[in-house]
Amino acid sequence: MDINIKEVARKAGVSIATVSRVINGKEGYSDLTRQKVMRAIQDLNYKPNALARGLLNQKTQTLAIIFPQVSDMFTGRVLRGVEAAAHQENFSVIVCKTDGSHVRTMRHLELLAEKRVDGIVFASEILVKEYSDFIQRLKIPLVVLSGESDDPGIPCVRCDDQKASFTATSYLIGQGHTQIGMLYGGRKGKLDEITRVVGYHEALSHFHVPFDPHKVITSEGFGFQEGKTGAAQLLDRFPNLTAIFAASDEMAVGVIAAAYERGIRVPEQLSVVGYDDLPIAEMTTPPLTTIHQPLYKMGFKAASMLLDHIHGREDLFSSVVFPHTIIERGSVSRP
């Protein structure tokens, strides 16, 4: 039979409220009282129930992270970082998958509100105003991770996508390429509003390479199939392309597959650069040259920011930008 807090209070000769304060490290009792409570806890082998503890201190020791997908390698690396930070402070992590659906996102947010999570990481998606307004009305701390936000006041943890795309495109130009296409999967809209496309455009302009908006294909997602389909469209439109920059590694692998189906050799006839530096980048043939962003560290930082705020150690107001690097492997050669 499980021991409850009432029995601890009875054995220690104190109130339930006093036992709660001792368990949660709050003030309002003497050192002698603390010793009595701790002795009772040990004698009875009492283990505070997490839910009961949450009801007493208004915390559930739970963070939530919201992803559009949970089966890809990007998600795995980010989640490991979030969980590592959470587990250091005995927090658990709830993972929600939205499939990019507005309806599913709102349902998840409503469910998380019912579960009284202590903080939310909104990852790899667009935090539209309806989402942020809902979360802020509930006064749940929020961090956007490797995504976009319509509310500039929400702190973000990310790489500078514009600079990273500039780096990737500049690298291809430095290898002698001028016929460069780009694939992007995510927010639809004007090309001059998509940061990764802006970086691509800026690099072309910097090196006096003409920009053709038709050489940019945008799709709904960042997956293999979007990369394969987008590459097929680019190669059909522009058979003289010598390079493609894909805005994710999974899209880049799709590019390599589309090239293989057309008998186009990578990198001899088509150079490919990805983005993320996921494990799959080393598994392709040839291995993928890509932009590295430290996803584990970014996940760890996003969770740490929430935890620091929850415990009153630091305010939650500033964004964090991580550095990027280009990892050279075997998917790029001179045209």
Side-chain angles (χ1 to χ4, degrees):
M1 179 178 174
D2 291 338
I3 301 298
N4 60 44
I5 196 171
K6 290 182 181 178
E7 293 172 75
V8 174
R10 188 181 303 116
K11 184 172 181 63
V14 298
S15 68
I16 293 173
T18 298
V19 175
S20 171
R21 286 199 296 272
V22 172
I23 290 172
N24 293 289
K26 295 184 178 180
E27 298 178 350
Y29 49 85
S30 68
D31 187 57
L32 178 60
T33 298
R34 186 189 68 79
Q35 291 176 23
K36 287 181 180 179
V37 171
M38 295 307 296
R39 191 179 302 115
I41 288 172
Q42 291 173 1
D43 290 347
L44 296 172
N45 195 27
Y46 171 65
K47 295 179 175 60
N49 177 273
L51 178 59
R53 188 167 57 238
L55 292 171
L56 291 167
N57 65 13
Q58 300 301 305
K59 289 184 174 64
T60 58
Q61 303 286 106
T62 306
L63 300 181
I65 183 163
I66 299 175
F67 290 109
Q69 300 294 333
V70 297
S71 59
D72 55 24
M73 293 184 180
F74 175 95
T75 300
R77 282 202 167 176
V78 169
L79 184 55
R80 284 201 300 275
V82 169
E83 287 188 321
H87 290 170
Q88 282 185 2
E89 305 207 29
N90 296 315
F91 271 60
S92 57
V93 179
I94 297 173
V95 180
C96 302
K97 179 174 81 77
T98 68
D99 285 327
S101 161
H102 172 83
V103 172
R104 289 193 68 171
T105 300
M106 287 306 301
R107 284 178 180 168
H108 279 307
L109 291 176
E110 290 165 0
L111 177 63
L112 295 176
E114 291 176 10
K115 290 186 175 296
R116 298 171 59 249
V117 297
D118 297 319
I120 295 175
V121 177
F122 200 90
S124 194
E125 276 202 275
I126 303 159
L127 182 74
V128 299
K129 193 171 187 301
E130 183 179 357
Y131 304 160
S132 60
D133 285 351
F134 180 85
I135 296 168
Q136 288 176 314
R137 279 199 303 273
L138 298 169
K139 300 188 184 304
I140 300 176
L142 170 67
V143 171
V144 173
L145 171 60
S146 192
E148 301 177 51
S149 173
D150 286 342
D151 185 342
I154 302 295
C156 296
V157 175
R158 59 184 177 83
C159 279
D160 189 322
D161 286 339
Q162 189 167 320
K163 285 184 178 179
S165 292
F166 183 95
T167 298
T169 310
S170 299
Y171 174 78
L172 286 168
I173 295 171
Q175 296 296 313
H177 296 275
T178 56
Q179 299 299 319
I180 305 170
M182 181 178 178
L183 299 179
Y184 177 81
R187 183 172 205 163
K188 289 296 183 71
K190 297 178 181 178
L191 296 184
D192 61 3
E193 296 175 347
I194 301 172
T195 53
R196 294 189 191 185
V197 177
V198 171
Y200 160 82
H201 188 182
E202 286 181 346
L204 295 177
S205 299
H206 181 78
F207 291 99
H208 309 292
V209 177
F211 171 72
D212 183 348
H214 296 101
K215 289 182 180 176
V216 179
I217 300 288
T218 61
S219 57
E220 292 294 336
F222 288 89
F224 170 85
Q225 195 57 53
E226 287 87 355
K228 188 177 180 182
T229 302
Q233 293 175 19
L234 275 177
L235 293 169
D236 287 343
R237 289 182 194 174
F238 303 98
N240 63 333
L241 279 184
T242 63
I244 294 177
F245 167 44
S248 79
D249 286 347
E250 293 194 30
M251 294 185 88
V253 175
V255 173
I256 293 173
Y260 175 80
E261 289 183 356
R262 285 165 171 71
I264 298 172
R265 298 190 308 278
V266 177
E268 294 85 357
Q269 293 172 285
L270 181 71
S271 290
V272 182
V273 173
Y275 195 113
D276 288 330
D277 193 25
L278 300 177
I280 198 173
E282 298 181 273
M283 302 175 190
T284 61
T285 302
L288 183 65
T289 294
T290 185
I291 293 291
H292 171 80
Q293 54 174 341
L295 298 175
Y296 176 91
K297 291 181 179 179
M298 291 162 66
F300 191 95
K301 181 62 178 178
S304 296
M305 288 168 64
L306 286 173
L307 292 164
D308 284 343
H309 176 77
I310 290 164
H311 292 305
R313 295 189 292 253
E314 193 170 329
D315 289 335
L316 190 63
F317 61 86
S318 59
S319 295
V320 177
V321 179
F322 277 80
H324 68 274
T325 53
I326 189 156
I327 306 297
E328 297 183 77
R329 294 194 178 98
S331 63
V332 174
S333 67
R334 299 190 67 82

